[in-house]
Amino acid sequence: MPTGEKADVKSLHVDVLVVGAGLSGVGAACRLTQLNPDRSFAVLESRDSSGGTWDLFRYPGIRSDSDVHTFSYPFRPWTGTDLLASGESIRDYIRDTAREFGVEERIHYGQRVIAAGWSSGTARWTVKAETVDGLIEHTASFLYICTGYFSYDTGHVVDFPGRAAFDGPIIHPQFWPEKFEPRGKRIVVIGSGATAVTLVPALADEGAAHVTMLQRSPSYVLPRSGKDSIGDGLRRVLPARAAHRAIRAKNVVQNVGLYEVSQRFPGAVRKGLARLNAKFVGSEVVREHFTPTYGPWDQRMCIVPDGDFFTAIRRGAASVVTDTVQEFTRNGIRLTSGEELEADAIITATGLRIEVAGGITFTMDGTTFAPNERYFYKGAMFGGVPNLAVCLGYTNNSWTLRADLTSRFVSAVLARMTQTGAATATPRLDETIEDGEPPFELSSGYVQRSRHLLPKQGTTKPWTVKQNYFHDLRLMSARRVDDGTLEFAPLRVRPSVVVGH
Ligand SMILES: Cc1cc2nc3c(=O)[nH]c(=O)nc-3n(C[C@H](O)[C@H](O)[C@H](O)COP(=O)(O)OP(=O)(O)OC[C@H]3O[C@@H](n4cnc5c(N)ncnc54)[C@H](O)[C@@H]3O)c2cc1C
C-alpha cells in the first residue's frame, strides 16, 4: 500500500478514468479488469491511501452497520463469521482486493479531481487534478465517478450556542484525534444515528466514567445476533465462493424483505421493534427514548450486534437523554429542559455533509453543468451527458449491492461501445419527462439537507431510482443496455468549412 508515497504526476490518457479508490472505485476497477480487459484504465484518488470511508473514519468501535456479506464484493468472498465487520477489517479487505486484482498499481494517489470537461469534437473528457506539485491534466474516453456521497473536508457541523465556552475537547467522529483517551471521562455523544449507537458501547468499554447519548429525537434500533448462524452452516458445507453467494442471496432477501415489510406494515414493525428493545431495557425506557415519530426504515435503521448498545445502558455505563441543546457551558451542556449534563468531552455525531460527484466542476463543450440540473438515468448516468457515470449505492441496504450493479452496467455500456464501434453513449432525454422525487427515499436529516444537490428523477423508468435491489437487477442488466434511451454514436466529425457549392 503506497500510503505516503509521493503523487505520481504523469499525464495520462486512458479509455476509462475512475475517480476515487474507496470500496466503489476499487470494485469498479476490478470489474473493468474482469469484464473489459481490452480497455485501459486508471484510478485517481485524492488522498494518499485507499479505502475511502473505512480509512477516514477511526472512531472507537467503527464497524459496518449492514451485514458484511452483502457489503463485501460478490466476486471476492468475505471469510469472517461476524454479522458486521470492523472498519479496519473492511479497509484491509478493500486493499487486499485491489492487490489481488492488479488494481493497486493503477491507482494514482494524491490527485484530487477538481474539474472535468467534455469535448464533443474529440469525444474525450479532460480532467484536471490538484497534486502537491500543482495541477495536472488527464484525458479519457469515459469518466466513472466513484467518490462516495460525503465531503472529506468537513462533517455536518451544528453551530451550538456557547461552543467556545466548553472547557474540554469537542470531537466530530469524522476527525477522531488519535490521542484522545476516554478512560475516566464523562462523555456526551450528541446524535442518535449508527455512529452514536456504535460509539456509546465502545467508549464505555474503553473505560469512560459514563457515556450519555443526547438525542434530539429517537431512532429505531434493531438488536441482531452478532453471528450469522445460517451463514456459518452454509460455510461448513459449501466451498468458499458458493457459500459467499448463498449467504449474500439469503441476506439480500432478508434486507429487502425487512425494508418492504417496514414500508407496508409500519405499525406491526414498530410494535415488534418496541417489544424486542423492551427485552433489553424495559418498556418505559423504550417509550421514552426509542419510539421514533417516523415510520420504520423511513430512516436508516441502527443495527446493534447482540444488543451491545442496550447492554451498556443496562449495566449503567451509558444512558440516553432525549432533549435539545440550549447551549454549551464551561462544564458541559445546558438542555432546553433546564437540566445540565456535565461532560469532560463532547462528541458531535451530527452527521455528514453530502457532496455529490466529489465536488467536481463539470463542463460540456465549455458550458458548466451540475449534477442537480440533470435527470438521473438508471441512477448511474446523466441525461444528455455522454460517457459519464456516477456510482451511488443504496441507502436502505448495503451500498455495495447497488455500487456493483452500477459498475457491471458501466462495463456492459463499454462492451457495447466496443462492439458497435461507438465513441459515445448518451442517455437521450425524452420530451415528456416529468419531475419526480429526489433519488434517496430516506427522511434522515442528511438526505433532507441535501435534496437540492441530488440529481433529478423522472416519474418513469429509466429515469427513476428505486431503492430496491431486485428492481435494479433487471433495470441495469447487461441485456438491457440497448434500451432505446441510451444512444450509442460514432465520433461526430464537424464538417469542415465548405468553400463555394
Ligand atoms: C461511518 C460510516 C459507516 C458506514 N457504514 C456503512 C454500512 O455499514 N453499510 C453501507 O452500506 N454503507 C455504509 N456507509 C456508507 C459508506 O460510505 C459506503 O458504504 C461505502 O464505503 C462508500 O464507498 P465509496 O467508495 O463509494 O465512497 P468512499 O468510501 O467515500 O470513497 C470515496 C473515495 O473517493 C475519493 N475522492 C472523493 N472526491 C474525490 C475527488 N474529487 N478526486 C479524487 N478522489 C476523490 C475519497 O478520497 C475516497 O477515497 C457508511 C458510511 C460512514 C461514514
Side-chain angles (χ1 to χ4, degrees):
M1 165 75 242
T3 301
E5 255 184 28
K6 198 170 179 309
D8 171 355
V9 285
K10 272 200 306 284
S11 239
L12 306 164
H13 174 74
V14 285
D15 291 331
V16 187
L17 199 54
V18 176
V19 184
L23 181 81
S24 304
V26 167
C30 293
R31 285 304 194 187
L32 289 170
T33 62
Q34 286 178 325
L35 304 173
N36 310 90
D38 54 321
R39 297 284 193 164
S40 61
F41 75 88
V43 183
L44 300 183
E45 167 56 51
S46 61
R47 306 176 76 234
D48 291 333
S49 49
S50 59
T53 302
W54 306 100
D55 187 43
L56 177 74
F57 281 81
R58 301 290 181 124
Y59 58 77
I62 175 147
R63 64 186 178 210
S64 65
D65 61 358
S66 47
D67 78 273
V68 70
H69 287 94
T70 53
F71 191 62
S72 52
Y73 301 117
F75 51 82
R76 187 164 182 269
W78 180 272
T79 50
T81 55
D82 288 346
L83 180 73
L84 310 182
S86 70
E88 191 184 355
S89 62
I90 298 172
R91 184 168 70 237
D92 289 347
Y93 170 81
I94 296 171
R95 291 179 180 174
D96 291 346
T97 307
R99 272 192 290 271
E100 195 177 302
F101 281 75
V103 161
E104 180 56 48
E105 52 266 32
R106 315 273 191 104
I107 306 177
H108 300 260
Y109 291 98
Q111 300 209 19
R112 181 196 188 99
V113 175
I114 54 162
W118 171 257
S119 155
S120 301
T122 57
R124 277 188 183 176
W125 287 98
T126 300
V127 168
K128 286 197 178 108
E130 276 175 354
T131 75
V132 283
D133 297 325
L135 278 184
I136 184 158
E137 277 191 6
H138 307 291
T139 51
S141 308
F142 200 102
L143 189 56
Y144 188 17
I145 309 291
C146 298
T147 50
Y149 66 107
F150 62 84
S151 163
Y152 274 65
D153 299 332
T154 170
H156 174 62
V157 178
V158 179
D159 192 15
F160 293 112
R163 217 183 145 97
F166 181 59
D167 219 7
I170 301 174
I171 301 169
H172 191 288
Q174 188 165 331
F175 307 101
W176 196 264
E178 217 177 301
K179 294 206 169 84
F180 177 70
E181 174 52 77
R183 188 161 297 281
K185 290 199 173 68
R186 295 161 305 169
I187 304 175
V188 175
V189 179
I190 302 178
S192 61
T195 300
V197 163
T198 302
L199 265 168
V200 167
L203 290 169
D205 284 350
E206 290 196 5
H210 190 79
V211 189
T212 308
M213 185 171 101
L214 170 59
Q215 57 177 13
R216 187 169 51 182
S217 53
S219 301
Y220 286 104
V221 179
L222 172 63
R224 285 187 64 179
S225 164
K227 294 277 175 206
D228 179 352
S229 51
I230 301 176
D232 286 352
L234 287 168
R235 239 194 308 267
R236 273 197 293 276
V237 294
L238 293 173
R241 272 183 191 282
H244 188 58
R245 262 203 305 277
I247 300 169
R248 277 173 66 82
K250 166 184 82 62
N251 290 0
V252 167
V253 171
Q254 247 172 22
N255 297 346
V256 173
L258 176 62
Y259 178 78
E260 292 299 329
V261 170
S262 301
Q263 295 290 298
R264 281 178 207 184
F265 310 103
V269 174
R270 190 181 278 133
K271 271 195 204 134
L273 282 169
R275 261 201 304 273
L276 213 54
N277 290 356
K279 281 192 189 153
F280 288 91
V281 284
S283 45
E284 207 172 302
V285 174
V286 172
R287 246 192 320 278
E288 200 177 343
H289 300 299
F290 298 103
T291 310
T293 49
Y294 58 86
W297 263 117
D298 286 351
Q299 299 188 12
R300 211 175 162 94
M301 220 179 257
C302 303
I303 297 180
V304 292
D306 300 322
D308 62 355
F309 167 71
F310 290 129
T311 306
I313 295 175
R314 212 168 44 191
R315 69 183 167 90
S319 52
V320 182
V321 171
T322 306
D323 205 329
T324 47
V325 174
Q326 187 176 358
E327 59 176 349
F328 282 20
T329 62
R330 186 159 182 267
N331 299 321
I333 299 175
R334 184 165 304 113
L335 303 173
T336 311
S337 63
E339 192 190 339
E340 185 159 356
L341 292 178
E342 295 206 338
D344 303 308
I346 297 174
I347 317 295
T348 54
T350 46
L352 306 163
R353 190 163 72 76
I354 298 286
E355 188 170 82
V356 179
I360 299 168
T361 302
F362 293 97
T363 53
M364 245 172 83
D365 296 322
T367 306
T368 306
F369 70 92
N372 65 349
E373 296 163 359
R374 296 277 161 172
Y375 286 100
F376 219 9
Y377 167 76
K378 296 190 175 178
M381 295 178 80
F382 297 113
V385 183
N387 298 13
L388 175 65
V390 175
C391 186
L392 284 174
Y394 287 119
T395 47
N396 65 351
N397 206 333
S398 280
W399 179 273
T400 325
L401 290 171
R402 181 164 224 294
D404 186 61
L405 279 182
T406 308
S407 293
R408 274 155 54 197
F409 172 73
V410 167
S411 283
V413 171
L414 290 164
R416 186 81 185 129
M417 288 169 78
T418 307
Q419 261 171 23
T420 56
T424 58
T426 313
R428 283 286 161 220
L429 286 163
D430 93 55
E431 297 295 302
T432 59
I433 196 162
E434 285 175 37
D435 281 2
E437 287 294 304
F440 294 145
E441 285 171 359
L442 299 182
S443 66
S444 316
Y446 73 95
V447 174
Q448 295 306 315
R449 279 195 300 274
S450 58
R451 280 168 77 99
H452 64 289
L453 301 174
L454 302 174
K456 294 202 284 185
Q457 260 206 121
T459 49
T460 50
K461 277 192 278 191
W463 303 101
T464 50
V465 180
K466 285 244 177 297
Q467 295 277 329
N468 182 306
Y469 180 69
F470 296 112
H471 170 274
D472 291 342
L473 202 56
R474 232 170 101 77
L475 183 75
M476 301 184 85
S477 109
R479 284 198 303 276
R480 288 170 195 265
V481 161
D482 236 344
D483 62 354
T485 301
L486 191 60
E487 185 183 272
F488 294 90
L491 180 63
R492 286 187 219 284
V493 181
R494 285 217 184 103
S496 44
V497 180
V498 180
V499 182
H501 286 276

